[in-house]
Amino acid sequence: MNTTIAQQMQKYLDNLTKPRGSLGRLEDLVVKFAALQARVPPRISKKAVYVFAADHGITAEGVSLYPQEVTYQMLLNILAGGAAINAMAGDASMDGESSWDLIAVDAGVATDTTVDNSALLKLAEALPPGRRFLNKKIGAGTANFLHQKAMTAMELEEALAAGESLAEDAEKQGYELVAIGDMGIGNTSTAAALLVASGFHLDDVVDRGTGIDSATLNHKRDVIAQAVEKHRPFASPRDILQKVGGYDLAMMAGLILGLRNRKIGCMIDGFPVTSAAYMAYSMDKTVTDFLFAGHLSKVKGHKPVLAAMGLEPILDLGMHLGEGTGAVLAGYILELAVKTSNSMASFESAGISDSSHEEEKY
């Protein structure tokens, strides 16, 4: 973190017409955002949420409540404007001033989205301003990592590179804040496998995902344990991603790594996205300088992973939907904190007397 800018931002906040430190964690968020932008005060004038869709071969083992085709169906729903993330990102806002651009990314959906008669292509041709579809498909879903590596070494590098190209896209579009969301049946199993392979305890990171029953949860736990054991030893974070990862999670990690030195804040969502962020963090610890934890998911594995990266969630609403919903909600709070720092008067400009004694922050 740029400590010089952070100190300047804190001094700036202390001179605004309020008791020092009285905005609590909002001040911490603004200080961090100023440090990554190297700007006092910081600004957020344009923002976007990238939602990554992909299928996971591990679903063949019966670890999810929903069939694989739901990934493609939900991708269509997002492009049609009918998903929760559409509403929360502000697709239906009256003035559009606070809305997010929404970019749906095909990272590896099993259904072919390139054929001429594709329902997706028809939707993509008539998208409203601010909603985009990007085809970054690496393959038609990863392999079943219980029996073989999830992807080839070349596919992994392609996914990481595709993620970095999205960081370039974010910079080109002028986004100051990006949120990351996920949509993929089976991705909580993949996320948990990545974390177990990284050293987290199995029982701490395997949960119900979309709402499986206890018998299926036990089966899911056994499948992940067997798969991780099959692929040991793991030589590096890249090795982990190749053996038990997903195209979407690898692409998210590539996006996060690609955001380095671009002065763009990144708001991460729930458990799958955070597992991808942890893989990026395992490759480069400095990514936490621009990462913000949007919320604490109800999925039990989310909390220990955030803690391992030293990230404190902004919200705790018991959510576990995905799609970037928690990240977008928290993004509004960060944006409002930044706007407050830009809009408030200082004691001097408002003609208000400052405290006559040293003020204790609490």
Side-chain angles (χ1 to χ4, degrees), residues 11-344:
K11 184 177 180 180
Y12 178 94
L13 290 170
D14 288 346
N15 286 327
L16 299 181
T17 50
K18 60 176 182 58
R20 288 168 175 77
S22 58
L23 286 176
R25 285 195 60 213
L26 293 181
E27 297 194 19
D28 298 335
L29 295 174
V30 173
V31 167
K32 181 173 179 176
F33 207 78
L36 73 89
Q37 283 195 336
R39 178 187 175 93
V40 177
R43 69 182 179 194
I44 299 176
S45 57
K46 196 174 182 184
K47 56 193 183 298
V49 53
Y50 290 81
V51 183
F52 292 80
D55 283 303
H56 299 254
I58 196 67
T59 58
E61 301 302 321
V63 294
S64 179
L65 186 66
Y66 291 94
Q68 186 178 73
E69 58 264 27
V70 170
T71 301
Y72 175 65
Q73 292 166 355
M74 279 301 300
L75 178 57
L76 292 178
N77 190 34
I78 290 170
L79 290 175
I85 187 58
N86 296 96
M88 292 187 181
D91 269 13
S93 64
M94 295 298 292
D95 56 20
E97 290 183 1
S98 63
S99 63
W100 299 66
D101 283 3
L102 194 160
I103 302 95
V105 181
D106 178 359
V109 178
T111 303
D112 188 353
T113 57
T114 61
V115 292
D116 291 341
N117 63 349
S118 166
L120 188 148
L121 286 183
K122 292 177 182 177
L123 280 172
E125 290 173 356
L127 292 177
R131 199 185 307 164
R132 292 189 283 148
F133 170 68
L134 297 179
N135 190 340
K136 298 287 185 179
K137 191 192 294 285
I138 304 300
T142 48
N144 184 343
F145 59 71
L146 180 62
H147 304 294
Q148 64 188 92
K149 293 178 181 180
M151 63 189 88
T152 66
M154 182 177 294
E155 287 173 333
L156 171 61
E157 294 307 316
E158 288 176 357
L160 290 169
E164 184 163 355
S165 75
L166 294 175
E168 295 172 0
D169 174 73
E171 185 174 48
K172 181 180 178 180
Q173 297 292 330
Y175 301 137
E176 288 114 349
L177 176 64
V178 299
I180 302 179
D182 66 275
M183 179 58 240
I185 300 303
N187 66 10
T188 62
S189 294
T190 302
L194 287 174
L195 295 168
V196 173
S198 299
F200 288 85
H201 194 279
L202 179 74
D203 291 333
D204 291 337
V205 296
V206 179
D207 209 346
R208 296 181 186 274
T210 51
I212 56 177
D213 59 23
S214 296
T216 308
L217 176 61
N218 290 332
H219 172 66
K220 177 179 178 178
R221 186 183 295 111
D222 291 342
V223 167
I224 292 170
Q226 292 172 32
V228 172
E229 190 59 35
K230 173 184 176 61
H231 292 293
R232 292 189 190 278
F234 298 98
S236 65
R238 272 181 160 81
D239 192 39
I240 294 172
L241 278 166
Q242 182 190 346
K243 289 176 177 176
V244 296
Y247 296 138
D248 48 356
L249 304 182
M251 206 172 291
M252 293 176 202
L255 168 57
I256 291 169
L257 292 168
L259 288 173
R260 291 173 295 187
N261 303 315
R262 295 186 190 271
K263 299 182 180 180
I264 301 172
C266 181
M267 190 73 70
I268 57 176
D269 195 42
F271 181 63
V273 176
T274 302
S275 74
Y278 187 80
M279 301 313 296
Y281 170 79
S282 297
M283 297 181 205
D284 184 350
K285 298 292 191 294
T286 67
V287 298
T288 55
D289 287 349
F290 57 85
L291 286 182
F292 295 82
H295 74 125
L296 180 62
S297 170
K298 194 173 183 179
V299 177
K300 68 177 181 180
H302 196 205
K303 186 174 183 178
V305 184
L306 289 177
M309 293 189 287
L311 297 176
E312 185 177 358
I314 296 172
L315 297 172
D316 183 357
L317 300 174
M319 296 172 63
H320 52 102
L321 172 60
E323 301 177 9
T325 50
V328 160
L329 285 177
Y332 285 122
I333 292 176
L334 174 58
E335 181 181 25
L336 187 57
V338 168
K339 285 183 176 179
T340 300
S341 71
N342 278 269
S343 301
M344 284 185 67

